[in-house]
Amino acid sequence: MTSPSSPTAPFHASVPGAGVGVLLVHGFTGSPAAMRPWAEDLHARGYSVSLPQLPGHGTRWQDLQATTYDDWYAEAGTAFAKLKAEHEHVVLCGLSMGGLLSLALAQEHGRDIAGLVLVNPAVDSNRKDVKLLPVLKHVVPAFPAIGNDIKKPGQEEQAYPRTPLKAAASLFKEMPRVRERLAEITQPLLMFRSRVDHVLDPSSGRAIMSRVSSRDLEEVVLEESYHVATLDNDAPMIFDRASSFIARVTS
């Protein structure tokens, strides 16, 4: 079954008899539009895919103010549970905050997850204003947008024009908890990291590469993409290498 054609809508497409399901999780203030081409590519290669729309996303930025990390994690968890019930193997693919949620799911579900593909995952930040979020969220409703950081002209992530601070505070509150448990990650892991990223600093990538316990671990540096690399110049390479990785870890 496939979801409606709107780029911000969730996208779910099953393949009868497929033994592998792939969960794709989009980023903070973004929408399924950032992952839709990847989901369609995986489905065309014979994988069942699930790309949920996280609560508060894909509508108005004000809607995101009423949601928290727990809501986003619960939605990703529900999608994972459905895939796992119907497929022998499940692989998680996460962009930015979607990478954080994927790591948290991997920490909880262990061997039920066959592998992880992360694109510019967010688990850390050196931004000074992050420390002020618990106070700022009561004073200022939103900051300027962080979305649509794409080098390739003409691409649109369908992200919000503002960054709601209550939701952002919830996200950054949970980052240390996931980061402190990175050693629990033992699944095969493939990480794509953009050399130039105007949303995240390099601390997230360094933390993951230095702390996870995965023996099957690879980092690929992207030279021609910014933060939303799934819609950028390196997207075809990401899709190809991710598919090879998925085929290998689920064989």
Side-chain angles (χ1 to χ4, degrees):
M1 180 177 179
T2 304
S3 66
S5 58
S6 169
T8 60
F11 178 80
H12 306 287
S14 60
V15 175
V20 180
V22 182
L23 173 63
L24 300 100
V25 190
H26 66 77
F28 182 64
T29 76
S31 75
M35 308 283 276
R36 181 67 175 262
W38 193 3
E40 292 176 345
D41 178 87
L42 287 165
H43 183 237
R45 296 177 192 248
Y47 297 111
S48 295
V49 298
S50 179
L51 170 55
Q53 178 184 10
L54 299 179
H57 293 78
T59 53
R60 306 178 310 142
W61 70 263
Q62 292 88 345
D63 295 333
L64 191 52
Q65 287 283 53
T67 65
T68 67
Y69 173 92
D70 289 340
D71 299 314
W72 315 322
Y73 182 76
E75 184 69 21
T78 297
F80 164 74
K82 188 173 188 302
L83 280 176
K84 186 58 184 174
E86 299 172 352
H87 300 84
E88 182 181 359
H89 304 288
V90 177
V91 174
L92 309 185
C93 297
L95 168 66
S96 194
M97 179 185 75
L100 178 77
L101 295 171
S102 296
L103 288 164
L105 285 170
Q107 290 165 349
E108 178 178 353
H109 295 284
R111 294 183 179 180
D112 285 340
I113 293 170
L116 294 142
V117 182
L118 309 178
V119 180
N120 292 320
V123 300
D124 197 6
S125 177
N126 289 325
R127 289 183 53 152
K128 295 180 180 179
D129 54 3
V130 168
K131 296 180 180 180
L132 300 176
L133 281 176
V135 175
L136 288 175
K137 69 179 183 180
H138 298 293
V139 180
V140 182
F143 275 172
I146 60 171
N148 225 45
D149 185 33
I150 304 172
K151 184 176 183 179
K152 184 178 180 179
Q155 297 298 301
E156 175 57 56
E157 184 190 5
Q158 304 290 333
Y160 286 147
R162 303 285 288 170
T163 303
L165 296 197
K166 288 182 180 179
S170 175
L171 169 62
F172 284 101
K173 180 181 178 181
E174 294 300 324
M175 277 189 185
R177 301 181 186 181
V178 177
R179 192 170 63 248
E180 289 165 6
R181 297 178 59 194
L182 283 175
E184 297 176 27
I185 301 295
T186 59
Q187 299 89 343
L189 191 155
L190 172 61
M191 183 176 74
F192 295 95
R193 177 178 62 82
S194 296
R195 190 176 299 280
V196 178
D197 186 330
H198 303 99
V199 176
L200 292 180
D201 54 69
S203 61
S204 285
R206 287 197 296 262
I208 291 170
M209 293 301 293
S210 63
R211 299 186 188 185
V212 299
S213 300
S214 306
R215 294 185 178 181
D216 186 343
L217 176 64
E218 182 181 6
E219 179 185 39
V220 178
V221 178
L222 306 175
E223 302 290 351
E224 297 298 329
S225 299
Y226 296 156
H227 185 65
V228 190
T230 50
L231 295 178
D232 219 324
N233 294 305
D234 293 304
M237 183 267 285
I238 292 173
F239 299 170
D240 284 343
R241 296 193 65 161
S243 294
S244 296
F245 173 84
I246 292 169
R248 178 170 60 80
V249 302
T250 60
S251 62

